[in-house]
Amino acid sequence: MDTRHAPTVDLALRFLDEWAGAPRPGPHASDPGIPVLAHLVAGIAGPAAPATAARAVAQWARTAGRGPSHPGLYDGGLAGTLAGLRLGARLHPGLHRAADRLRDHLAGEATAKTWRTADVAFPDYDLIVGPAGTLLALCVDATPTDRHLAHPVHHLAALCDGDELPRLRTGQYARHPHLSWVHGRVNTGMGHGVAGVVTALTAAIRRTGPAPGPVASLRRATRWLVRQSYDDARSIRTWAGAGLDGPAPDGAHPNPRQAWCYGTPGVAWALWDAADALGDRDAADWAAAAFTTLAERYDEEFHLFGDGPGDLLGLCHGAAGVLAVADAFDRHARLPAAAALSARLTVHLRERLPAALGADWPPGLLTGAPGALSALLTAQGASRAWLPCLGLR
């Protein structure tokens, strides 16, 4: 085992061992967090690690798929179960058979018939519970065909058939207690917005080729995102949570979220990866420059906030998600500022994770301990097979 992995591997093994001894039922039963972490640890650790990792995967597989049964990647969805089965099959090969059956179910026409094409809600398009996440899950540790990806690709491309993306304006949240702010607007973010749609279309183009329809839709979506960007008071090129309905905000946005889910990290990556897949060097350079403004000015004291380790250290809101994006920019774009930020956040997480694991931190990938540990291991050279779960590679 590479000595740089040792402290994180020890933490991960302790977490997996404790979880396997006392698994917690609930909304994370179908979440891919446990098999993602087990897959990573088994691939880099010493001879005792595969047994611990395999035990955790076996325990996870006993209840996988018993969540809400929607087709999404997170929140108990079946696409998350698919991702977990694929990675868990590295330790228990028999899980591939279950993964193949679930893949065919998720790729089927019945799922596609449930998606709206106007007045949409998040399950109609997004990465968390919608077809963008389903498409990305089909790409985890697998080589999907045109047939597997056809329904989500066609649907996502159809939603991007206008320059202002009118089909992606939400129409279901007028009286929602938490989401009324996005009603009638187009969300920009990676988790619930256009950036997530962009990463899904990009993943499909990389795997099945640049078909004219998806390419045209991808170009419209990326141009729309570029038009929504602005410079905040810290001179960071960034994005509000939804598309601009007027002039750009004057000064820093009231919510300084700069994370995988919202803000510069996730959106800039989506734009860079799309441009790279399409061979558009100018657009890729623009996206890299946008991320550089964040990487050079990222402030852990300002940009990381919340009530617990999920917000401060997790993938969705916290340091681990920014680390995962910075690591992707470093590896694929060879961006010096990304390498420097990745190194900083690696230290940040290594210093804080030991204490955080003692808290009551759920075992999910996006907001839980497995995601933070997985991002840290991958930034230190472990497998990247799970990264489609974040729209990364």
Side-chain angles (χ1 to χ4, degrees):
M1 177 174 62
D2 190 329
T3 56
R4 64 183 172 165
H5 293 130
T8 311
V9 167
D10 289 344
L11 286 175
L13 286 172
R14 189 183 88 200
F15 179 87
L16 290 171
D17 192 48
E18 292 177 356
W19 182 87
R24 288 172 256 171
H28 297 287
S30 297
D31 189 276
I34 293 297
V36 165
L37 183 59
H39 158 80
L40 291 170
V41 167
I44 61 173
T52 299
R55 187 163 71 98
V57 170
Q59 188 66 260
W60 173 87
R62 291 187 180 100
T63 58
R66 296 184 186 176
S69 296
H70 63 74
L73 181 49
Y74 294 104
D75 291 353
L78 291 174
T81 301
L82 173 62
L85 288 170
R86 285 293 183 217
L87 294 171
R90 295 285 187 96
L91 292 155
H92 293 282
L95 295 179
H96 273 307
R97 292 192 296 275
D100 288 344
R101 291 193 297 271
L102 184 51
R103 173 203 61 200
D104 292 343
H105 169 73
L106 288 172
E109 186 176 358
T111 297
K113 285 182 177 178
T114 68
W115 298 325
R116 299 181 187 91
T117 56
D119 292 326
V120 294
F122 294 159
D124 298 314
Y125 68 90
D126 81 2
L127 190 154
I128 305 297
V129 292
T134 302
L135 188 157
L136 289 166
L138 291 165
C139 297
V140 172
D141 208 31
T143 305
T145 65
D146 284 328
R147 177 175 63 86
H148 298 137
L149 299 182
H151 290 307
V153 168
H154 175 78
H155 176 74
L156 295 174
L159 291 177
C160 301
D161 64 356
D163 289 344
E164 297 304 317
L165 308 184
R167 293 186 184 277
L168 284 169
R169 289 193 176 274
T170 63
Q172 305 298 319
Y173 299 121
R175 295 175 179 82
H176 194 284
H178 307 298
L179 298 174
S180 58
W181 66 271
V182 80
H183 181 74
R185 305 175 73 193
V186 181
N187 193 292
T188 63
M190 179 68 93
H192 293 301
V194 176
V197 172
V198 164
T199 62
L201 288 173
T202 300
I205 286 169
R206 287 192 183 280
R207 285 161 177 81
T208 61
V215 166
S217 291
L218 182 59
R219 291 189 186 280
R220 286 189 203 97
T222 55
R223 287 194 295 262
W224 183 88
L225 277 173
V226 170
R227 292 197 300 273
Q228 309 312 308
S229 66
Y230 65 94
D231 290 329
D232 72 7
R234 293 180 171 233
S235 299
I236 295 171
R237 173 60 47 163
T238 194
W239 286 261
L244 301 175
D245 294 327
D250 183 15
H253 195 267
N255 178 356
R257 183 75 72 198
Q258 292 290 355
W260 169 85
C261 58
Y262 282 110
T264 302
V267 180
W269 167 260
L271 289 171
W272 185 87
D273 197 33
D276 182 66
L278 295 173
D280 188 338
R281 190 70 262 152
D282 289 343
D285 288 345
W286 187 94
F291 185 78
T292 298
T293 67
L294 180 281
E296 292 179 344
R297 298 167 178 84
Y298 188 76
D299 181 348
E300 291 88 337
E301 296 299 318
F302 179 75
H303 290 121
L304 293 174
F305 58 93
D307 298 325
D311 281 334
L312 297 172
L313 303 178
L315 283 173
C316 192
H317 293 169
V322 182
L323 170 61
V325 174
D327 175 60
F329 266 110
D330 177 26
R331 171 172 286 258
H332 297 293
R334 303 298 180 192
L335 198 61
L341 181 58
S342 179
R344 268 175 54 196
L345 290 176
T346 295
V347 172
H348 182 90
L349 282 166
R350 288 181 67 172
E351 289 177 346
R352 289 161 177 79
L353 276 175
L357 291 182
D360 185 19
W361 199 3
L365 184 65
L366 203 56
T367 60
L373 288 164
S374 296
L376 188 52
L377 288 169
T378 296
Q380 296 175 111
S383 170
R384 308 183 74 82
W386 66 283
L387 288 174
C389 291
L390 300 178
L392 305 175
R393 57 186 177 92

